[in-house]
Amino acid sequence: MKNTKDRRAFALSLGALLAVLLAGIGLAGCSSGSGNDFVLGIGLPLTGSNASYGVASMDSDQLAVDYLNAHGGILGHPVKIVKWDTKADPATGVAGAQSFVSQHVNAVVGFFNSDVTVPAIRILEQANVPLFGDNPSTPQLASLHLTNFVRVTGDDALEGVIQAQFAIQKLKVKSVVAIDDQEAFGEAFAQAFVDEFKKDGGTVLDHEGVDPTANDYSAILSKIASLKPDLFEFSGFYQPAGLLVKQARQMGIKSIFITDSAVYGDKYLGIAGPAGVGTYLTNVPLSQESDTPLSKYLTDNLQSKYGIKADGIDANTFDAVIAVSYAAQLANSIAPADLIKVMHDVKFQGATGDVSFLADGDRAQVDYTVVEVMPDNSYKTLEEFKEIL
Amino acid sequence: MLQELLNGIVVGASYTLLALGFSIVYGLIRLINFAQVSLYTLGAYLALYLTPLFASWLPGHGWVAFSLSVAVCGLLTGLVGVLVAAFAWWPIRRAPTISMLVSSLAVLILIEALIEVVVSPLPMVVKVPVDNRVHEALGGHYSSLQAAMLVGGVALTFLLYNFIRFTKFGRAIRATASNVDSAVVLGVNVTSTTFVVFGIAGALAGVSGVLVSSTYGVASFTMGEIVGLKGFTAAVLGGMGSVWGAVVGGFTLGIIESMSTFLLPSQWTAVVAFGILILVLAFRPTGLLRTRASDRA
């Protein structure tokens, strides 16, 4: 009797589960909007370790969509966003790409993280869906010869090279300890930096990796203190960057500190505190500096609507959405396959300056700046680089 | 090398507080209570609000306000620890251990997600109203808050040890850990003893979270995950269920990490630390200090 009851309960539970799943599938199938909409899939890390970037990027994407809808949508079709939280996890990103395909999106913007983008784009490629990359910056993406891919961000290797050249030529340093966060972006960036630093005659005393979720970096900093480099460089995101420089100064390390564009912003300054003053960062030009109508729109609205000071990452993701609309205008169609045919020919003046792409999907011209943190916690631009590929 | 040794001891203090929590709960009911990792994070987030509040009540007495905040956060996370026992352990106390383990993991994920949704997914800058000056001593540099973290960790360990060793309630904990049936015969209220131990573990985790986030100036909703795993590792390394084992495990792990980072490329730190753990367990499966009834919680 007990077994029969158990079996009945099990069958009921299974039935309920199936009903929920089927309802979910049905809802997902219906969620891609009316036939008149331009459905834009946006994949970002909205929760998890990179949520701070993903949430701000989502706000920028929403602003771009608001802008397009205020100007008649894309070829007269209202733009509707379908969000996917990648959690900065490659497997979740792949699931997102599959979800976008099943929801018949017209195009996808994303996925912020390189290690999420690389596997996810294969799913989109097979389904003939274009991906307009916002900030996935690994050099690996350009080497995949993808037909459905362009990205607004430059690649890590290029920024790492510029940073090393600036360090040698302008800061006049001769030795460095490089540290990365052992993630796709940080590792690729640091390797490019180290290779260029050596090529330009500098001495790399050490190249270390740290856990980006740690709080205490005293062990690695002890090593830096004993090596006494002219410069210590960090490749990764703002939290470890801020903690590293703060703890380094507490330990009496006086070496110059330089870091990357993903660190740029108020959050780095908040964590580093006074130790952030006098540190250097490479950066994609701020929207204010590129001074275009779109940059003004992004800067003003991101501040007034979301209380966020726009940075290069926000501007990249904003421009990725705008690029979608330019592709549709070129194709005179919103069909994904038609967008793919023309996406490499898109040209416009966006929030990050002049945007155009090469055949491998890389951006044709990437602007970088090097900035220094001033005592009033502002960033002062020291150098501007226009890299035409 | 002295700087590296002391760095390891300071980091080890935070591992020790978490390891103590893991160890005393395991010693009592053989449960690996991952829920306490979320109380580490909760402690840090409570301090984000309580430390400035107490500082505004006690202007010019930053250290008093900070100490008060540490104590109150510890009390609050201790209470949450008791609630965790009430809702996630008590209803399933007769279920297989694996069910209780899953239940404690569910609490960990739930509390972290609540913090993410209710407070923010962004890392929070922690400001402490004390003069966190850097001192040069014994060939190294240490901030006042690092010293406070070490002192707090050591003081709580001694308090806990003496509580378990010399108080009536401590004897009840030891009796229950040694043999539940005998403890019942001796008149020990096993249920209330277990609730209190969950509370103590929660308080230790909360205090550790406040000390770490205040020392390094940042709190994030995922901050407990890696350090929690290391606290658990420290408890296993020292000998699960042993108070002194947790202490030895915590400080040993901290020192091994610090020294190996200094002597080897830092990418090898985890390889060395966990390689040593495997070696220790291969030769001493019960950890560095074997569990004895006398100090088992």
Side-chain angles (χ1 to χ4, degrees):
Chain A
M1 184 65 182
K2 186 174 182 296
N3 283 345
T4 312
K5 261 187 178 173
D6 284 351
R7 274 199 294 272
R8 196 177 297 158
F10 178 72
L12 274 173
S13 308
L14 198 63
L17 183 66
L18 278 173
V20 170
L21 282 174
L22 287 171
I25 291 166
L27 283 174
C30 295
S31 65
S32 53
S34 73
N36 191 42
D37 290 338
F38 185 103
V39 183
L40 182 64
I42 296 180
L44 286 169
L46 299 173
T47 58
S49 56
N50 286 162
S52 55
Y53 297 98
V55 170
S57 291
M58 193 70 235
D59 294 338
S60 305
D61 287 337
Q62 184 63 57
L63 280 178
V65 168
D66 292 347
Y67 178 87
L68 293 175
N69 283 336
H71 291 79
I74 294 181
L75 297 180
H77 299 272
V79 184
K80 187 195 170 206
I81 291 176
V82 176
K83 294 180 198 174
W84 184 270
D85 177 11
T86 67
K87 303 179 195 301
D89 169 50
T92 311
V94 167
Q98 286 163 335
S99 174
F100 289 148
V101 171
S102 69
Q103 294 186 68
H104 306 294
V105 298
N106 298 83
V108 175
V109 167
F111 284 88
F112 182 77
N113 301 91
S114 295
D115 47 2
V116 174
T117 306
V118 170
I121 199 168
R122 290 297 191 193
I123 306 291
L124 299 177
E125 187 186 30
Q126 285 163 19
N128 241 4
V129 176
L131 172 67
F132 292 77
D134 48 11
N135 288 289
S137 49
T138 178
Q140 189 190 352
L141 276 164
S143 66
L144 294 175
H145 306 296
L146 298 156
T147 54
N148 65 327
F149 171 70
V150 292
R151 62 176 161 192
V152 177
T153 184
D155 82 24
D156 307 330
L158 195 56
E159 190 182 338
V161 166
I162 284 169
Q163 192 179 80
Q165 289 171 348
F166 175 82
I168 294 270
Q169 291 165 19
K170 303 291 179 182
L171 297 177
K172 310 282 183 198
V173 294
K174 293 185 168 54
S175 61
V176 68
V177 172
I179 306 167
D180 68 62
D181 64 358
Q182 303 184 84
E183 291 185 357
F185 164 70
E187 280 189 343
F189 188 106
Q191 197 54 54
F193 171 87
V194 162
D195 291 346
E196 183 66 21
F197 198 84
K198 282 183 193 163
K199 196 176 130 198
D200 292 353
T203 305
V204 178
L205 299 174
D206 198 5
H207 180 183
E208 298 277 351
V210 293
D211 172 5
T213 64
N215 279 316
D216 184 293
Y217 293 109
S218 52
I220 193 93
L221 290 169
S222 289
K223 194 184 264 188
I224 293 175
S226 68
L227 290 169
K228 294 188 173 60
D230 297 335
L231 176 76
F232 76 109
E233 186 268 354
F234 174 73
S235 311
F237 297 108
Y238 66 86
Q239 183 174 325
L243 288 173
L244 270 166
V245 73
K246 181 179 170 183
Q247 291 169 28
R249 298 303 182 235
Q250 283 181 348
M251 290 175 71
I253 296 170
K254 294 188 170 62
S255 310
I256 298 168
F257 181 67
I258 192 164
T259 183
D260 58 63
S261 58
V263 171
Y264 183 95
D266 290 344
K267 299 175 201 107
Y268 163 65
L269 300 176
I271 293 171
V277 175
T279 59
Y280 298 90
L281 298 89
T282 39
N283 192 31
V284 289
L286 272 177
S287 42
Q288 294 97 317
E289 291 164 3
S290 53
D291 199 23
T292 66
L294 284 180
S295 73
K296 184 162 170 36
Y297 169 84
L298 172 67
T299 309
D300 293 350
N301 286 285
L302 206 56
Q303 184 69 52
S304 64
K305 290 188 178 168
Y306 301 102
I308 296 171
K309 195 173 164 189
D311 61 21
I313 287 175
D314 304 325
N316 279 344
T317 191
F318 179 90
D319 276 355
V321 175
I322 300 297
V324 176
S325 76
Y326 276 91
Q329 284 172 35
L330 269 181
N332 197 27
S333 163
I334 61 166
D338 293 336
L339 297 180
I340 287 175
K341 283 179 199 159
V342 300
M343 67 194 298
H344 297 86
D345 301 323
V346 163
K347 279 184 187 156
F348 66 100
Q349 198 181 38
T352 55
D354 293 327
V355 181
S356 58
F357 305 103
L358 301 172
D360 63 5
D362 261 341
R363 190 164 165 177
Q365 178 185 314
V366 191
D367 299 345
Y368 289 103
T369 57
V370 178
V371 298
E372 181 182 0
V373 180
M374 296 285 104
D376 64 353
N377 264 1
S378 64
Y379 289 100
K380 181 184 174 191
T381 301
L382 303 178
E383 290 279 329
E384 291 183 26
F385 298 87
K386 285 198 183 299
E387 293 295 319
I388 299 166
L389 304 177
Chain B
M1 288 293 267
L2 202 56
Q3 168 93 59
E4 289 71 44
L5 182 69
L6 288 167
N7 289 343
I9 291 172
V10 171
V11 176
S14 65
Y15 297 164
T16 297
L17 289 179
L18 280 166
L20 282 169
F22 276 117
S23 219
I24 57 173
V25 173
Y26 182 84
L28 200 67
I29 56 170
R30 297 292 180 271
L31 168 67
I32 297 162
N33 178 29
F34 282 111
Q36 65 150 345
V37 174
S38 60
L39 304 186
Y40 170 89
T41 311
L42 185 64
Y45 274 78
L46 286 171
L48 270 176
Y49 301 98
L50 291 180
T51 306
L53 179 70
F54 293 145
S56 68
W57 289 351
L58 299 162
H61 297 87
W63 279 106
V64 179
F66 177 60
S67 306
L68 188 62
S69 176
V70 172
V72 172
C73 289
L75 274 175
L76 291 173
T77 53
L79 278 175
V80 178
V82 174
L83 290 176
V84 168
F87 290 103
W89 166 74
W90 172 255
I92 57 167
R93 64 196 178 284
R94 292 194 181 86
T97 309
I98 190 77
S99 303
M100 291 194 273
L101 183 71
V102 170
S103 176
S104 78
L105 277 170
V107 172
L108 162 63
I109 294 165
L110 177 80
I111 292 181
E112 278 191 354
L114 276 175
I115 292 172
E116 182 185 9
V117 172
V118 175
V119 184
S120 172
L122 311 182
M124 310 292 284
V125 175
V126 181
K127 292 205 163 109
V128 187
V130 299
D131 181 12
N132 189 26
R133 68 181 61 177
V134 176
H135 309 275
E136 229 178 312
L138 301 169
H141 296 76
Y142 316 94
S143 70
S144 302
L145 283 167
Q146 277 179 307
M149 189 160 99
L150 182 59
V151 170
V154 171
L156 279 174
T157 302
F158 275 99
L159 266 177
L160 179 68
Y161 179 76
N162 286 306
F163 174 76
I164 289 174
R165 195 93 182 93
F166 299 114
T167 66
K168 190 180 165 193
F169 208 91
R171 280 194 290 276
I173 294 173
R174 280 188 290 139
T176 311
S178 180
N179 188 311
V180 176
D181 295 333
S182 305
V184 171
V185 171
L186 290 170
V188 173
N189 186 335
V190 173
T191 303
S192 62
T193 304
T194 309
F195 274 96
V196 169
V197 167
F198 266 92
I200 293 171
L204 290 170
V207 167
S208 182
V210 180
L211 291 174
V212 169
S213 63
S214 303
T215 302
Y216 301 114
V218 67
S220 66
F221 72 95
T222 54
M223 64 182 279
E225 290 174 2
I226 298 293
V227 78
L229 191 64
K230 288 183 178 169
F232 171 63
T233 305
V236 174
L237 182 67
M240 212 46 162
S242 160
V243 171
W244 288 120
V247 176
V248 170
F251 286 112
T252 304
L253 186 64
I255 291 167
I256 289 172
E257 278 190 348
S258 179
M259 286 295 185
S260 58
T261 303
F262 183 71
L263 297 170
L264 298 167
S266 54
Q267 293 88 340
W268 284 86
T269 304
V271 177
V272 172
F274 289 93
I276 288 174
L277 174 73
I278 290 167
L279 271 179
V280 167
L281 293 181
F283 291 100
R284 291 183 72 90
T286 54
L288 287 170
L289 299 190
R290 285 182 192 283
T291 307
R292 290 181 299 133
S294 59
D295 74 340
R296 214 165 78 174

